Amino acid sequence: MAPPLPMPTPLLANLNPEQLEAVTLPHGSALVLAGAGSGKTRVLTTRIAWLLATGQASPLSVLAVTFTNKAAREMLLRLSTLTPMSVRGMWIGTFHGLCNRMLRAHHRDANLPQLFGILDTADQLSLIKRMYKAHNLDDDRFPPKQLGWFIASAKDAGLRPSAVEAGDEFARRQVEHYALYEAMCQREGVVDFAELLLRSYELLAGNEPIRKHYQRRFSHLLVDEFQDTNVLQYRWLQMLAGTDAAVFAVGDDDQSIYAFRGANAANMQHFERDFGSPTRPVRLIKLEQNYRSHGHILDAANALIRHNRSRLGKELWTSEGKGEPVRAFAAPSDLDEAAFVVDAVKGLTDEGIPLSEVALLYRSNAQSRVLEHALFNAGLPYRVYGGMRFFERAEVKHALAYLRLVASPDDEGAFLRVVNFPPRGIGARSLEQLQDVARGRGTTLWQAACSGAVGGKAGSSLAAFVGVIEKLRSETLALTLPEAVAHVIEGSGLLAHFRAEKDGEDRVDNLEELVNAAQGFVREAEIASDAPMLTDRVDADLPAPTDGQDEGATDPLAAFLAHAALEAGETQEAEGKPALQLMTVHSAKGLEFHTVFVTGLEEGLFPHENSLNEADGPEEERRLMYVALTRARRKLYLTHAQTRMLHGQTRYHVASRFFDEIPRELVQWLSPQRKRFGSIDVDESEWGAIRAAPQATAAAPSWRVGQNVRHAKFGTGVIVDAEGRGSDARVQVNFRESGLKWLALEYAKLDPA
DNA sequence: CAGCGTGCACTTTTT
DNA sequence: GTGCACGCTG
């Protein structure tokens, strides 16, 4: 195949040599190691546009997959400015969105009802609780959350219950619960997030005509944030790629921060083995030129990440100047830290830096409180990311539950959510009766309710509820989606209920907003891109994948419900007002700001204490820190506090090891000078030293974090953390043999080693 | 059946 | 410190 000549169009203008190489690679697979701020989205979208412009691909043959809806939208938007061709027909979306699309088209082959519902995490949790109740499983050894996590992990690894290895009794029980859960989902016609992936994978793996169809269709697969793929997503890609499709994967192993939810950065190491073949050689390209940050910031980030051992290797550079030094501040307490931040932010405002260009980052959400408090008192506007989202609000969930019942009445989660909301006299008693009937007859709650098997007052209340749903269904049949949504929130009594409630205005507003959301959804579907499900048809060349029935356009209501589950909506209304941005480091990934404050840089917090036991924990924490540093364009502040209220208790922390991993000459300390002890920075003040009995005896040894110690029973180790003072003082020691232990200094016999 | 009180837990999170 | 979950009482 003769590679077409690159086009002399503006498409390729202003690309650096590496970007240009990546964009114009001849047919084959490519792994693009794209550092932070190296223009990876640009490369990805320009690659697609180039493939289209040179006729190597048609829109129909392109599949591009991302992790978040935001990234998918961004890709679509940029692509539409880069190519005159219609983006219609391309499969661009999240893994979950694309799998949903595939499963809707082949629901029979996937053994799902046409209008299958999608459970979000909260729905999944409540299903597990119902399952425990129904089977009288009230064992505290299996908390619902933990089982949910277990099931999701198993599915993410591609494992059905029969394939999970259960070594002990405990694991065996968990697998049994997993199997029960699956049966229950299947009976109710619902799938959870992980199931979308697994079902889609199994559909491809087990159905040759369908697999061949998609393999023939998609000659180009493009993957964003490849380092975040889990085992199942990787195998899904392999299945789709077959032996011929060109896979263009963009990722950064140094920004892999989602191992805790199954992301497997090792996928990058296997790429060459698994996506190469004689017809598609594998190329590796590194994008190391950074267009975001000034030199000192990059130097700091490079130095930090060099402390990780498992890396593919990459070093960011910039053609810009060194810029300002990284600034650091040691605060006596979390309150002082917040006060420092407030002061510094005021200074930035005076310099004319917009508040929306300043981010306050922290390791865990609990840390936002103190910062918010200080900002509020200072009258600085701010916005906190990561709270309740639109489609997760209770009143919206209720409205969606009515819609779900209208679409598929056997959805028991939806049934139980609204059967007595607004209250209609169907209490726990009546429901128990109903559940007994359903169980006895092997039917769903809905069928039992329809049968009239529950008599008396409860029976007539249930009949009334069934009547409401039936009425809503028949009345919305001929309506457009937004009309139907409006009708359901009205006819269900939800609107009246919240109007009557004293502080119900916000909820009423949200219900009305749901109608707008439906309107917006339909509008987007009409102009093509984001909601392809409405127009998606099984391609004509697919050899009889189903029993011959027309699988045409999916029901708009089902599509909207899928949209609500797959895209939870913005955290808050994006108010136009300029505001400081507060978020965890995780949610800052992919963003950039003029100025970044990384707060709470303390041993135990960041790196988080829980991570120290985990296999790849410390390195993942360091990658997280790397992500934090590389968010900053011009100014970077690193702060830590020596005392902090945590879980309602005052805790004492030493500065994070990450301070030591950034060369001193890059850092300007704004707080009094510090001294170094061992490998850990410790302040000279009284905070740094931990004494078992201060001033009690001259001989009382003093301990420092980072110090090597010996214990009669546990052997040798190193102090990694400390808390409490005087007779309460405790240190955490990482013992070579026995791992992490907290020891009370008053009792434990510790010797310097 | 709803309202309130006590008790526990609590890293990170998208879909 | 706060939110959530469960259980008791009116």
Side-chain angles (χ1 to χ4, degrees):
Chain A
M1 190 192 301
L5 291 172
M7 306 237 313
T9 62
L11 190 59
L12 304 180
N14 298 322
L15 293 174
N16 70 34
E18 293 76 28
Q19 292 174 331
L20 183 69
E21 186 190 358
V23 165
T24 59
L25 278 178
H27 188 83
S29 288
L31 180 60
V32 180
L33 208 50
S38 64
K40 105 191 136 74
T41 309
R42 178 157 186 230
V43 165
L44 209 46
T45 49
T46 312
R47 168 72 175 175
I48 297 176
W50 185 80
L51 288 171
L52 296 172
T54 54
Q56 297 181 76
S58 83
L60 281 177
S61 64
V62 172
L63 181 147
V65 63
T66 64
F67 278 86
T68 65
N69 292 297
K70 198 174 156 202
R73 273 195 303 270
E74 166 96 0
M75 197 184 285
L76 221 38
L77 186 72
R78 306 223 346 212
L79 196 53
S80 61
T81 69
L82 290 175
T83 177
M85 300 176 87
S86 165
V87 291
R88 218 188 168 110
M90 274 188 242
W91 275 39
I92 295 183
T94 63
F95 278 101
H96 294 85
L98 298 183
C99 288
N100 176 51
R101 186 170 175 174
M102 191 182 286
L103 292 175
R104 297 278 167 197
H106 307 284
H107 66 267
R108 273 191 206 80
D109 293 295
N111 189 23
L112 286 171
Q114 184 178 9
L115 301 183
F116 69 85
I118 300 173
L119 303 178
D120 67 16
T121 313
D123 298 330
Q124 182 193 34
L125 203 63
S126 72
L127 190 143
I128 291 172
K129 287 179 188 162
R130 277 196 286 125
M131 175 182 89
Y132 279 167
K133 269 214 188 98
H135 294 270
N136 276 321
L137 302 163
D138 60 344
D139 193 329
D140 348 317
R141 286 183 306 159
F142 307 100
K145 259 195 183 148
Q146 202 186 307
L147 183 68
W149 183 85
F150 174 82
I151 292 171
S153 311
K155 289 186 180 180
D156 284 345
L159 302 173
R160 290 293 177 193
S162 59
V164 179
E165 285 193 31
D168 54 7
E169 168 68 12
F170 180 79
R172 234 192 59 238
R173 291 284 300 279
Q174 259 188 329
V175 174
E176 280 172 27
H177 296 164
Y178 176 13
L180 281 177
Y181 170 86
E182 272 204 320
M184 202 157 156
C185 289
Q186 187 64 31
R187 195 168 62 94
E188 299 183 17
V190 293
V191 300
D192 59 35
F193 288 136
E195 184 72 22
L196 286 169
L197 264 304
L198 185 50
R199 234 4 123 100
S200 171
Y201 169 78
E202 287 171 346
L203 176 70
L204 290 170
N207 188 317
E208 196 181 354
I210 292 179
R211 180 174 68 249
K212 286 268 180 279
H213 164 74
Y214 285 107
Q215 287 181 348
R216 254 200 310 278
R217 169 170 176 175
F218 296 121
S219 55
H220 288 88
L221 307 183
L222 298 100
V223 193
D224 191 21
E225 304 278 18
F226 188 69
Q227 78 283 352
D228 287 339
T229 50
N230 62 34
V231 167
L232 182 54
Q233 287 157 342
Y234 186 82
R235 285 177 26 196
W236 184 83
L237 287 168
Q238 272 186 288
M239 196 57 75
L240 217 46
T243 53
D244 298 322
V247 181
F248 190 88
V250 179
D252 180 0
D253 55 326
D254 289 333
Q255 290 189 74
S256 164
I257 56 173
Y258 285 111
F260 72 91
R261 67 177 197 215
N264 183 19
N267 286 346
M268 296 185 84
Q269 273 135 34
H270 301 146
F271 185 87
E272 186 158 9
R273 180 191 73 197
D274 293 332
F275 291 98
S277 67
T279 56
R280 38 157 205 196
V282 173
R283 302 289 302 269
L284 176 75
I285 293 177
K286 290 185 188 180
L287 304 182
E288 295 175 295
Q289 181 171 4
N290 175 292
Y291 295 96
R292 179 183 296 157
S293 312
H294 273 167
H296 284 315
I297 294 169
L298 289 184
D299 291 347
N302 281 328
L304 177 99
I305 201 65
R306 270 199 294 271
H307 286 82
N308 273 1
R309 300 176 129 247
S310 56
R311 295 181 65 209
L312 295 175
K314 187 169 46 48
E315 182 122 346
L316 297 178
W317 61 275
T318 178
S319 59
E320 304 263 330
K322 287 292 181 192
E324 299 178 30
V326 176
R327 298 193 175 85
F329 184 78
S333 75
D334 47 352
L335 299 173
D336 301 304
E337 183 189 44
F340 166 78
V341 171
V342 165
D343 266 5
V345 170
K346 282 182 179 158
L348 295 168
T349 312
D350 294 342
E351 288 177 42
I353 295 157
L355 280 180
S356 57
E357 274 292 338
V358 181
L360 269 47
L361 308 185
Y362 33 81
R363 176 65 177 79
S364 61
N365 283 307
Q367 289 165 249
S368 76
R369 236 195 70 249
V370 175
L371 293 168
E372 285 184 66
H373 189 76
L375 292 169
F376 183 83
N377 286 336
L380 287 169
Y382 61 89
R383 181 184 166 194
V384 187
Y385 284 74
M388 180 66 67
R389 300 199 283 170
F390 180 72
F391 287 112
E392 290 168 357
R393 303 181 118 83
E395 62 277 15
V396 175
K397 277 264 183 189
H398 279 120
L400 291 174
Y402 276 103
L403 291 167
R404 275 159 65 180
L405 280 182
V406 166
S408 63
D410 290 335
D411 184 331
E412 309 223 325
F415 184 98
L416 288 167
R417 178 178 274 273
V418 294
V419 65
N420 195 36
F421 193 92
R424 42 175 76 87
I426 303 173
R429 268 270 169 70
S430 323
L431 281 179
E432 238 163 75
Q433 271 181 282
L434 184 68
Q435 261 151 346
D436 285 344
V437 171
R439 215 167 304 151
R441 299 182 175 188
T443 67
T444 61
L445 292 176
W446 172 258
Q447 288 158 357
C450 290
S451 72
V454 177
K457 203 161 149 262
S460 59
S461 304
L462 279 170
F465 175 67
V466 169
V468 168
I469 301 297
E470 298 277 15
K471 188 156 171 280
L472 290 175
R473 181 175 308 126
S474 66
E475 285 169 349
T476 52
L477 224 49
L479 300 181
T480 65
L481 179 66
E483 287 167 348
V485 173
H487 187 78
V488 165
I489 63 176
E490 178 79 51
S492 61
L494 284 176
L495 215 47
H497 175 83
F498 289 121
R499 282 206 176 112
E501 210 177 60
K502 47 180 184 304
D503 292 317
E505 301 92 1
D506 282 354
R507 296 182 188 274
V508 172
D509 288 349
N510 285 329
L511 288 178
E512 283 162 0
E513 186 56 37
L514 186 63
V515 181
N516 292 337
Q519 197 127 46
F521 178 74
V522 170
R523 202 176 309 127
E524 289 226 16
E526 276 163 5
I527 34 179
S529 43
D530 192 34
M533 291 172 302
L534 293 188
T535 50
D536 219 26
R537 284 175 188 279
V538 173
D539 302 68
D541 71 323
L542 192 53
T546 65
D547 53 16
Q549 269 216 318
D550 177 36
E551 293 247 7
T554 306
D555 180 69
L557 178 53
F560 181 61
L561 289 172
H563 167 81
L566 292 178
E567 181 158 15
E570 282 292 303
T571 298
Q572 273 176 32
E573 265 326 292
E575 304 141 74
K577 291 179 213 138
L580 265 177
Q581 314 279 303
L582 272 69
M583 65 190 85
T584 62
V585 180
H586 280 93
S587 34
K589 193 175 140 198
L591 305 177
E592 60 172 65
F593 307 91
H594 177 282
T595 301
V596 168
F597 290 82
V598 188
T599 66
L601 281 165
E602 293 133 46
E603 285 293 304
L605 250 190
F606 197 5
H608 198 279
E609 53 199 345
N610 295 2
S611 74
L612 299 176
N613 310 315
E614 291 159 18
D616 182 47
E619 296 219 340
E620 176 138 323
E621 294 289 307
R622 192 172 286 109
R623 290 191 290 270
L624 196 53
M625 180 65 177
Y626 177 76
V627 168
L629 300 181
T630 51
R631 296 312 94 196
R633 285 202 299 267
R634 295 295 174 258
K635 288 175 191 272
L636 177 60
Y637 289 85
L638 310 177
T639 66
H640 75 95
Q642 286 150 342
T643 62
R644 180 179 296 280
M645 278 293 261
L646 212 58
H647 312 321
Q649 272 195 323
T650 305
R651 302 238 323 202
Y652 297 75
H653 291 288
V654 291
S656 169
R657 65 190 67 182
F658 298 145
F659 281 106
D660 297 318
E661 300 177 354
I662 298 172
R664 307 192 103 192
E665 60 274 18
L666 301 176
V667 182
Q668 177 191 2
W669 281 92
L670 302 176
S671 45
Q673 255 314 306
R674 304 149 51 80
K675 284 210 171 166
R676 295 170 82 82
F677 287 92
S679 64
I680 306 274
D681 249 7
V682 175
D683 199 275
E684 246 197 323
S685 75
E686 55 172 328
W687 305 102
I690 311 127
R691 285 168 204 282
Q695 282 90 44
T697 49
S702 89
W703 306 101
R704 295 181 194 287
V705 171
Q707 187 173 358
N708 290 312
V709 292
R710 184 188 309 283
H711 184 271
K713 194 163 143 212
F714 301 129
T716 59
V718 57
I719 298 182
V720 295
D721 199 2
E723 66 173 35
R725 318 190 72 193
S727 59
D728 287 334
R730 302 193 307 140
V731 291
Q732 191 181 33
V733 183
N734 193 1
F735 288 104
R736 204 165 299 164
E737 305 297 331
S738 9
L740 280 178
K741 297 259 185 287
W742 277 103
L743 301 171
L745 286 175
E746 204 173 9
Y747 306 111
K749 286 193 205 76
L750 275 185
D751 292 312

